[in-house]
């Protein structure tokens, strides 16, 4: 008979795996931040700063002792983290770098066959790539602003990139260059071997080793998953590769288990062999309320969020205003092991104030005084983190 995880146990396990099972209070060191990101696997990077940029938001949600200079130090001084792609632009532990080499090779093949990239080179791909390699090798790190300062190159229709900007991105995507730092949010590029420590830059794991590593790391962080979720975790193996890996994995690596969804339906999935022990020891998440980034790994898979938590979340920043159901940058609210509602916050940095533009509790969730006090406490934590002076509600708590 297949063992089963109740929905309550499943939610607590999932939160524990995503570093949301314990209170985020307390101090955080650089070593602690390194360890946190490694346990998560990666942190997505995004430029939208309606409240705070995604990478800072994700980390502060899990560790209120987090401060932005800590991440910059790990990326640019310690070099224990690097920037590249998972399902999107991400910050990744540098010790994972060897397993990204297959992605680099695949990116080179994909870009070569992509007409949009060819258009951005304006027919000068070999020439521009050669010039960019020479310039960086001889003169050191550059940003796209450095190489097109006078805007003398013709910009393509796609994203408005110049050939030089396209070359920098090509060489980064394919692993010849790495991001050595940022100026504002603009990437600064250098030769990869001058950014990535040799012990991580030199190894060349083969195809089988890379697929095995990717799948093992994914199931370790998810706890339970279907092959599609394993493949999607780093977005670095195909569904067919994940399915084959699951089918061939020995019992000491994977086992089958039945999980209960929020609607009571059951589903059989793959799991870590120690999943029952993990679920049994997963802590009851704290009562305090946390506002999750739209890019938080816990809610990244929207259909999975609906299955596990009964919470139907859609990010509407790119939806025309007239068609939005909730708002531009609406955040799910987590309380214990439930997603209890949504809130929209806007940081008005020019006015030094934080505005609450929308607040909605899920059906059946009461606006009890204690709950609203926890919401207010989380708003205050965000006011402090963003360095703003005031809070203004433009809606009522009964919206």
């Amino acid at each position: 008979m297949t063992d089963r995880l109740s929905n309550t146990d499943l939610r607590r396990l999932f939160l524990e795996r995503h570093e949301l099972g314990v209170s985020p209070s307390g101090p955080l060191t650089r070593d602690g931040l390194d360890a946190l990101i490694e346990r998560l696997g990666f942190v997505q990077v995004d430029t939208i700063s309606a409240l705070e940029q995604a990478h800072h938001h994700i980390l502060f949600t899990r560790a209120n002792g987090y401060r932005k200079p800590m991440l910059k130090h790990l990326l640019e001084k310690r070099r224990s983290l690097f920037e590249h792609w998972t399902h999107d632009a991400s910050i990744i532990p540098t010790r994972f770098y060897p397993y990204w080499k297959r992605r680099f090779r695949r990116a080179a093949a994909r870009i070569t066959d992509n007409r949009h990239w060819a258009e951005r080179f304006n027919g000068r791909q070999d020439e521009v790539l050669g010039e960019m390699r020479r310039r960086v090798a001889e003169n050191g790190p550059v940003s796209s602003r450095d190489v097109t300062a006078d805007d003398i190159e013709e910009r393509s229709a796609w994203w408005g990139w110049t050939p030089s900007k396209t070359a920098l991105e090509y060489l980064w995507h394919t692993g010849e260059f790495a991001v050595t730092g940022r100026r504002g949010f603009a990437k600064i590029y250098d030769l990869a071997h001058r950014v990535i420590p040799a012990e991580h830059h030199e190894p060349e794991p083969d195809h089988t080793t890379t697929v095995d590593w990717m799948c093992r790391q994914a199931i370790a962080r998810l706890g339970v998953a279907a092959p599609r979720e394993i493949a999607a975790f780093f977005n670095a193996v195909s569904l067919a590769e994940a399915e084959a890996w699951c089918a061939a994995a020995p019992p000491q690596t994977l086992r089958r288990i039945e999980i209960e969804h929020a609607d009571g339906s059951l589903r059989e999935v793959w799991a870590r062999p120690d999943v029952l022990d993990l679920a049994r020891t997963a802590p009851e998440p704290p009562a305090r309320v946390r506002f999750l980034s739209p890019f938080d790994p816990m809610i990244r898979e929207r259909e999975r969020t609906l299955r596990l938590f009964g919470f139907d979340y859609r990010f509407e920043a790119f939806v025309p205003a007239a068609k939005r159901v909730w708002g531009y940058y609406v955040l799910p609210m987590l309380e214990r092991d439930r997603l209890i509602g949504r809130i929209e916050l806007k940081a008005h940095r020019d006015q030094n104030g934080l505005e609450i533009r929308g607040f909605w509790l899920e059906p059946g969730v009461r606006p009890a005084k204690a709950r609203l006090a926890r919401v207010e406490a989380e708003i205050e934590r965000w006011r402090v983190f963003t360095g703003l002076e005031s809070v203004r509600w433009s809606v009522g708590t009964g919206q």
Side-chain angles (χ1 to χ4, degrees):
M1 180 178 177
T2 304
D3 289 316
R4 178 183 299 175
L5 280 180
S6 70
N7 185 247
T8 297
D9 288 342
L10 178 62
R11 291 197 311 268
R12 291 182 181 180
L13 171 65
F14 199 71
L15 291 170
E16 184 270 337
R17 291 289 84 194
H18 286 82
E19 299 297 319
L20 291 166
V22 296
S23 171
S25 300
L28 181 71
T29 63
R30 290 170 178 168
D31 288 346
L33 179 58
D34 248 341
L36 172 59
I37 295 172
E38 177 149 342
R39 291 194 300 272
L40 288 172
F42 64 90
V43 175
Q44 185 174 341
V45 175
D46 193 83
T47 60
I48 299 176
S49 57
L51 175 61
E52 185 53 83
Q53 291 173 337
H55 41 298
H56 299 310
H57 189 144
I58 291 166
L59 295 171
F60 181 69
T61 298
R62 289 159 172 80
N64 289 166
Y66 169 73
R67 297 297 179 265
K68 297 177 187 180
M70 301 168 70
L71 185 63
K72 188 176 181 68
H73 178 88
L74 300 183
L75 282 162
E76 300 180 14
K77 301 296 184 184
R78 185 181 288 190
R79 301 294 192 194
S80 55
L81 303 171
F82 76 104
E83 291 192 47
H84 211 268
W85 280 75
T86 54
H87 67 295
D88 210 318
S90 299
I91 293 167
I92 306 158
T94 304
R95 77 173 191 88
F96 295 2
Y97 187 86
Y99 303 101
W100 256 249
K101 292 190 174 182
R102 188 176 80 142
R103 179 186 287 274
F104 301 156
R105 293 189 292 270
R106 289 185 167 188
R110 185 182 69 253
I111 292 171
T112 299
D113 295 334
N114 188 305
R115 69 177 180 85
H116 294 297
W117 281 85
E119 289 172 2
R120 288 190 282 184
F121 278 113
N122 289 337
R124 300 169 49 227
Q125 179 169 336
D126 291 344
E127 174 192 346
V128 178
L129 287 174
E131 170 60 23
M132 195 58 63
R133 290 185 180 107
R134 182 199 62 77
R135 175 169 180 166
V136 172
E138 295 178 2
N139 300 324
V142 300
S143 75
S144 59
R145 295 172 184 173
D146 297 326
V147 297
T148 58
D150 297 323
D151 201 23
I152 59 175
E153 296 184 287
E154 181 182 351
R155 293 179 179 270
S156 70
W158 198 36
W159 292 102
W161 284 9
T162 64
S164 293
K165 167 65 174 175
T166 304
L168 289 170
E169 285 291 305
Y170 174 94
L171 294 166
W172 175 55
H173 277 275
T174 58
E176 288 190 57
F177 285 4
V179 174
T180 188
R182 285 185 181 262
R183 188 180 301 133
F185 204 73
K187 294 192 287 286
I188 303 171
Y189 308 81
D190 198 358
L191 300 178
H193 72 82
R194 296 199 298 224
V195 176
I196 306 299
E199 64 267 31
H200 303 305
H201 184 265
E202 299 306 320
E204 297 277 353
D206 61 24
H207 171 84
T208 300
T209 301
T210 297
V211 171
D212 180 66
W213 185 91
M214 290 286 182
C215 292
R216 285 177 182 269
Q217 296 296 317
I219 195 66
R221 287 163 176 79
L222 292 170
V224 302
R228 185 191 64 79
E229 294 168 296
I230 292 173
F233 186 82
F234 289 119
N235 195 34
V237 301
S238 68
L239 175 58
E241 288 170 330
E243 288 175 335
W245 182 82
C246 290
Q252 62 268 30
T253 300
L254 278 185
R255 58 164 295 176
R256 298 293 277 174
I257 195 165
E258 198 172 60
I259 60 173
E260 180 187 18
H261 292 159
D263 64 3
S265 62
L266 302 175
R267 181 187 186 202
E268 196 170 289
V269 295
W270 294 100
R272 292 171 45 138
D274 59 350
V275 65
L276 293 178
D277 289 336
L278 283 175
R280 190 177 303 115
T281 58
E284 180 178 355
R288 63 176 288 174
V289 171
R290 282 185 265 195
F291 305 153
L292 302 183
S293 165
F295 306 100
D296 195 287
M298 197 207 92
I299 57 169
R300 168 188 153 196
E301 296 276 345
R302 309 305 193 203
E303 294 303 318
R304 182 172 60 203
T305 302
L306 180 60
R307 289 196 306 269
L308 270 58
F309 293 90
F311 189 81
D312 190 6
Y313 179 67
R314 295 293 182 271
F315 182 48
E316 298 181 306
F318 305 112
V319 175
K323 296 184 178 180
R324 291 175 191 148
V325 176
W326 305 101
Y328 174 76
Y329 203 77
V330 173
L331 314 176
M333 294 190 292
L334 176 68
E335 180 188 67
R336 293 191 171 90
D337 62 355
R338 299 173 64 201
L339 291 167
I340 62 164
R342 305 154 210 261
I343 190 167
E344 182 174 17
L345 291 85
K346 170 65 175 174
H348 294 283
R349 293 174 175 85
D350 57 336
Q351 302 170 23
N352 209 8
L354 182 62
E355 178 191 7
I356 292 78
R357 308 178 73 175
F359 180 81
W360 306 266
L361 293 174
E362 286 290 275
V365 177
R366 295 175 55 250
K369 287 184 178 181
R371 175 169 288 128
L372 295 180
R374 291 193 287 269
V375 170
E376 293 274 8
E378 183 70 353
I379 291 170
E380 175 62 13
R381 282 187 281 268
W382 276 105
R383 183 197 66 76
V384 172
F385 184 71
T386 53
L388 301 173
E389 286 190 358
S390 64
V391 172
R392 175 171 63 89
W393 285 77
S394 55
V395 296
T397 56
Q399 179 174 326

